[in-house]
Amino acid sequence: MAMNRYRPNEHLIGVKGSRAKLTTPALILDLDALEHNISRMAELCALHGVALRPHAKTHKSVRIARMQLAAGAVGICAATVREARVMAAADVSNIHLSSPLVGEVVIGELIALIKEGAKLSVVTDSITGLAALERYFTAAGQAVTVLVDADLQAMYRTGVSSPEAALDLASRIAQSQTLQFGGVQYYSGIVQHIPTAEERSEVYGQQLEKLKALVTLLTNNGLPPPVVTGGGSGTFAIDGQSGVITENQAGSYVVMDVEYGAINVLVDDPKPFHPALFVQTTVISNNARGMVTIDAGSKSIALDGPKPRIASGAPLECVFQILGDEHAGLIFPGVVDPAVLEAGPPPADSETAVYKLFYEIFGGFKGEPGQLEIGTKVELTASHCDPTVNLYNTYHCVRSDTLVDIWPIDARGNL
């Protein structure tokens, strides 16, 4: 059978055992786990009294967004206008852009989407940004719903840092002939990965008191926020119980990753979501003592979170070590203290420092060469799901040991 060089695994669809025969690196999506996660989050949000507006920046997939909406989500979030355009073109409705939009081209794309019938809302966190939105939308004769982005926990990413600044922005939006005040956005990324549900609730609860004070200030000034949106996969239950956040923007729950897999999400149900995203790799060299080399480096695995973990194909205790653009090492148990590798070379050092570290580790090691045969397939649990997804063009969808479909990652890339 002729092989499609752009989709080299297409001929394996439906072949029993085909999961172990993929040309790699390949991004694996376990559909059973995906469906469980979508259904379970819908149940949990309903149970805890918060609407779900999942973040499409995690999966960047029209099909998955449709599955989330079918399960009861009130809409989706997008991080970029490109994501919004792809979703809107596929009739995925009610899209909230969660990052401030700046620049004539970006805002022009937003206006075009609204003219085409898309239902959108946006955020702002500055007078400058608000003025630009009003200027361009007024010139286009279009209206848009605008939420105030608040950063009351000092995350220092986006968002106004004081209730007074939020009130000022909300008042200006309400006075506009073009912009409509839609409410408040509040996201605390610094609490999402606190390991225990109890500690997360305590820390986040203190932050939510500031949010409640902001909502009270707005309400007392005649600007009750119609929507208070935010939160994430680590806080949806707390968000619902808070009485202030009306919809949750969880994203990672849908596929999970190493970082979210390390936390206890709920007190009574610590692990409600299942890992659904894996990077399948192949052992391509086993000459080095105590380790093997796989064909997935920094171009295949996001490195801004913890290291990926072994899911199958190698001892679970193996330690992943990046070796370059296309290569990584799997270091076997007992070769070296994992803490040494976890620390690695100083961040400011170049790739050369990685090899220096390896020379120091393996230079005097007297173990046996590679314990895995060349061609062995090893699957890794994704370290950070969102940027890992963005490195691929397709999902290889599996059920158990069989490749059942290949889905495009529709919205990857930039504007």
Side-chain angles (χ1 to χ4, degrees):
M1 180 182 294
M3 180 180 295
N4 183 336
R5 59 180 175 173
Y6 299 109
R7 289 162 63 96
N9 294 311
E10 198 163 35
H11 66 291
L12 293 171
I13 293 175
V15 177
K16 187 172 178 56
S18 51
R19 179 172 181 166
K21 301 175 182 178
L22 300 178
T23 297
T24 62
L27 191 66
I28 302 288
L29 182 63
D30 186 316
L31 295 184
D32 292 332
L34 173 77
E35 292 164 359
H36 165 85
N37 293 345
I38 291 173
S39 174
R40 186 67 177 132
M41 180 60 97
E43 294 171 356
L44 288 169
C45 283
L47 176 66
H48 291 284
V50 63
L52 177 62
R53 182 183 290 276
H55 224 307
K57 71 172 185 175
T58 297
H59 54 72
K60 300 180 182 293
S61 165
V62 167
R63 298 190 193 202
I64 296 176
R66 287 173 174 163
M67 292 168 69
Q68 291 172 315
L69 291 170
V74 298
I76 64 165
C77 287
T80 68
V81 173
R82 170 168 172 73
E83 292 172 3
R85 174 165 286 284
V86 168
M87 295 296 164
D91 295 325
V92 174
S93 61
N94 197 349
I95 303 167
H96 174 64
L97 282 131
S98 61
S99 185
L101 301 175
V102 175
E104 181 178 2
V105 172
V106 173
I107 297 176
E109 277 286 300
L110 179 65
I111 291 171
L113 285 177
I114 291 176
K115 284 183 176 180
E116 293 165 10
K119 182 181 178 182
L120 299 172
S121 59
V122 300
V123 299
T124 188
D125 70 352
S126 69
I127 298 299
T128 301
L130 181 60
L133 285 173
E134 185 165 30
R135 182 168 66 254
Y136 289 121
F137 272 88
T138 298
Q142 296 293 315
V144 67
T145 298
V146 183
L147 285 72
V148 175
D149 189 15
D151 178 29
L152 306 178
Q153 76 285 354
M155 188 174 168
Y156 302 120
R157 188 165 70 181
T158 66
V160 294
S161 58
S162 72
E164 293 74 23
L167 176 60
D168 185 27
L169 279 177
S171 299
R172 291 171 185 257
I173 295 169
Q175 293 165 9
S176 172
Q177 299 300 308
T178 304
L179 311 180
Q180 301 167 350
F181 177 56
V184 175
Q185 176 177 278
Y186 177 78
Y187 175 68
S188 179
I190 60 179
V191 303
Q192 298 298 324
H193 300 107
I194 293 175
T196 69
E198 295 88 346
E199 183 183 359
R200 194 177 321 115
S201 180
E202 180 179 352
V203 175
Y204 190 43
Q206 296 171 7
Q207 297 178 4
L208 290 176
E209 289 302 314
K210 297 179 181 179
L211 180 60
K212 291 177 183 178
L214 169 58
V215 170
T216 298
L217 177 65
L218 292 170
T219 302
N220 289 344
N221 282 272
L223 294 166
V227 170
V228 181
T229 185
S233 298
T235 61
F236 64 88
I238 308 168
D239 293 329
Q241 295 163 2
S242 71
V244 62
I245 291 184
T246 62
E247 60 179 37
N248 181 272
Q249 296 182 5
S252 299
Y253 80 93
V254 76
V255 292
M256 296 297 283
D257 55 24
V258 170
E259 198 163 22
Y260 269 110
I263 75 169
N264 289 334
V265 177
L266 302 170
V267 174
D268 58 347
D269 188 6
K271 309 291 183 185
F273 310 118
H274 300 166
L277 190 72
F278 307 93
V279 175
Q280 188 180 113
T281 72
T282 302
V283 175
I284 59 172
S285 178
N286 61 2
N287 293 319
R289 290 173 174 161
M291 65 167 282
V292 295
T293 300
I294 56 174
D295 62 349
S298 59
K299 292 180 180 177
S300 304
I301 297 172
L303 301 174
D304 62 333
K307 293 185 177 184
R309 303 295 186 192
I310 305 296
S312 64
L316 300 184
E317 299 81 10
C318 281
V319 177
F320 175 94
Q321 178 61 53
I322 195 71
L323 293 179
D325 295 348
E326 283 81 27
H327 306 116
L330 301 182
I331 302 170
F332 283 78
V335 173
V336 67
D337 183 353
V340 174
L341 293 173
E342 289 291 344
D349 279 11
S350 67
E351 188 176 275
T352 304
V354 174
Y355 293 111
K356 181 176 182 294
L357 176 70
F358 262 54
Y359 179 80
E360 293 171 353
I361 291 171
F362 292 106
F365 180 63
K366 303 300 182 184
E368 293 297 321
Q371 292 98 321
L372 292 178
E373 293 184 3
I374 290 175
T376 300
K377 296 296 171 61
V378 178
E379 288 191 10
L380 306 171
T381 302
S383 49
H384 186 184
C385 51
D386 302 26
T388 295
V389 168
N390 197 51
L391 295 171
Y392 290 85
N393 292 321
T394 56
Y395 289 112
H396 289 79
C397 303
V398 302
R399 292 193 188 276
S400 187
D401 67 350
T402 301
L403 178 70
V404 297
D405 208 348
I406 297 176
W407 292 354
I409 298 175
D410 308 281
R412 69 177 297 265
N414 299 317
L415 179 65

